Amino acid sequence: KAVDGVSFTLNDGETLGLVGESGCGKTTTCLSIVGLLPPAGRIVGGSIEFEQQDLTRLNPRAMRRVRGRRIAMILQDPMASLNPLFTIYRQVAEPAFFHQRLRGRALKERVKSLLGAVRIPSPEARMREYPHQMSGGMRQRIVGAVALSGGPKLIIADEPTTNLDVTIQAQYLNLLKDLQRDTGVALIFVTHDLGIVAKMCDKVAVMYAGKIVEYRAVRELFSDPKHPYTKALLGSVPKLGSKEPLDTIPGQPPNLASLPTGCHFHPRCPMAMPRCSEEEPRDFRVGKDGLARCWLVDHEVEVTHGQASS
Ligand code: SF4
């Protein structure tokens, strides 16, 4: 299972960070939400509740009405999202054409205003150009305009700044924040950069081997992390001016086809106890509304399917 028992909630205007090493299930979680799992992938249980409907029960046609309109996705590589053969106008206009049924002058005005919103200079002229005529940062902003074009309630951004240099990255993150403030859209932000999480997110889900191992408000996660994996991730972030060697996490993420017994993190965990290799920890309530999946916090309240038990 690439993703197993992942559970979170997101309100209007909130940002959730999905964090973890490559292969931990972040992207699979997002592709499940938008119904774009590759052919070998399938959802075998659970539900994805969005605007009073369970997305796992929608047929492909109904899902197409949600995807691009109510939920949009921004991918890491803008060239993978933009079609090199079509003008910027056509690509930004498409979701508004299909989902909002805008035509003619209204559609053109919509595209112009979307390009303005993502700070493309001279939008009128730029909309006639092609992706190859734009810089990397501009292309990623165009992808942002395409995402906004259908009027979404939720945007899933999968490592959208990985290919941008640091200055452009900062501008892009500020832009996303501004757009979120103006439109009230909710964001799921996939990243392995904890600096971005601190800047962008309200809450964070730390994933390991297909499961959420810690789920916290962002301030709590940084001030009082509970799970040893979260602590290790925070310890491996370079600190400006520090001469201390960086902490590293020994070993490799496990093979999902043959997971370690008990806690899947135990072979790499500096805090592992005998119990950890025998029994898989459950979710325990930590902090205000947080969860951590670790035996070290089993004096806290155990949580089953979002309900607290003793
Ligand atoms: Fe480490 Fe045990 Fe907690 Fe797993 S359950 S993270 S092995 S202390």
Side-chain angles (χ1 to χ4, degrees):
K1 289 178 181 171
V3 167
D4 190 8
V6 163
S7 179
F8 56 79
T9 56
L10 191 59
N11 299 313
D12 287 344
E14 267 187 349
T15 302
L16 169 78
L18 276 185
V19 205
E21 288 162 289
S22 300
C24 70
K26 307 181 298 278
T27 297
T28 305
T29 301
C30 297
L31 293 177
S32 304
I33 297 171
V34 290
L36 288 177
L37 282 176
R42 124 185 111 85
I43 297 173
V44 294
S47 62
I48 303 168
E49 309 284 340
F50 177 78
E51 294 188 323
Q52 287 85 48
Q53 53 186 351
D54 179 358
L55 299 184
T56 63
R57 293 178 179 275
L58 297 186
N59 61 36
R61 192 185 161 92
M63 194 61 214
R64 273 200 298 277
R65 284 197 293 270
V66 174
R67 191 172 48 234
R69 178 168 164 236
R70 306 306 289 155
I71 305 178
M73 198 153 175
I74 298 176
L75 299 172
Q76 194 179 106
D77 176 8
M79 280 314 263
S81 313
L82 296 173
N83 189 324
L85 300 178
F86 294 142
T87 61
I88 299 303
Y89 173 79
R90 175 157 174 180
Q91 302 191 58
V92 177
E94 195 174 277
F97 179 90
F98 281 112
H99 297 304
Q100 301 189 326
R101 308 208 172 276
L102 294 181
R103 301 287 185 271
R105 176 172 284 278
L107 185 58
K108 193 170 171 197
E109 285 306 314
R110 173 87 177 138
V111 172
K112 217 164 99 182
S113 97
L114 285 165
L115 292 178
V118 296
R119 299 181 199 142
I120 297 291
S122 320
E124 183 98 40
R126 288 294 195 165
M127 68 169 82
R128 290 192 286 272
E129 295 183 353
Y130 290 84
H132 76 271
Q133 293 170 284
M134 310 269 156
S135 66
M138 279 174 100
R139 283 199 286 259
Q140 196 54 298
R141 280 183 277 149
I142 299 286
V143 172
V146 176
L148 287 170
S149 176
K153 202 81 175 132
L154 169 66
I155 293 180
I156 300 173
D158 189 356
E159 310 223 24
T161 55
T162 306
N163 294 328
L164 304 179
D165 68 46
V166 187
T167 327
I168 305 294
Q169 174 175 310
Q171 286 171 5
Y172 189 72
L173 294 176
N174 288 337
L175 173 68
L176 279 183
K177 268 291 178 210
D178 290 349
L179 292 173
Q180 185 178 38
R181 195 191 50 233
D182 295 345
T183 61
V185 70
L187 270 176
I188 295 179
F189 211 98
V190 177
T191 181
H192 53 258
D193 185 332
L194 288 165
I196 292 180
V197 169
K199 180 181 168 74
M200 296 292 291
C201 301
D202 302 298
K203 46 193 183 186
V204 194
V206 180
M207 292 189 70
Y208 187 79
K211 296 185 175 170
I212 292 178
V213 294
E214 186 155 4
Y215 179 55
R216 307 285 298 278
V218 75
R219 278 170 195 271
E220 283 187 11
L221 186 99
F222 280 88
S223 62
D224 184 26
K226 294 290 188 192
H227 197 284
Y229 179 61
T230 313
K231 291 181 188 176
L233 282 182
L234 290 169
S236 61
V237 176
K239 288 165 199 74
L240 205 61
S242 168
K243 296 207 166 30
E244 297 295 314
L246 271 185
D247 291 340
T248 54
I249 306 175
Q252 298 289 327
N255 178 350
L256 294 176
S258 59
L259 286 169
T261 54
C263 171
H264 302 329
F265 187 54
H266 87 259
R268 305 173 76 190
C269 179
M271 315 287 286
M273 310 166 276
R275 180 185 194 184
C276 301
S277 57
E278 290 156 13
E279 247 184 300
E280 187 175 355
R282 298 177 290 277
D283 280 331
F284 296 101
R285 181 83 71 204
V286 291
K288 196 158 164 275
D289 284 315
L291 302 173
R293 187 179 277 256
C294 172
W295 289 125
L296 289 174
V297 291
D298 80 341
H299 53 281
E300 311 276 350
V301 180
E302 183 186 328
V303 175
T304 317
H305 299 300
Q307 301 294 315
S309 61
S310 70

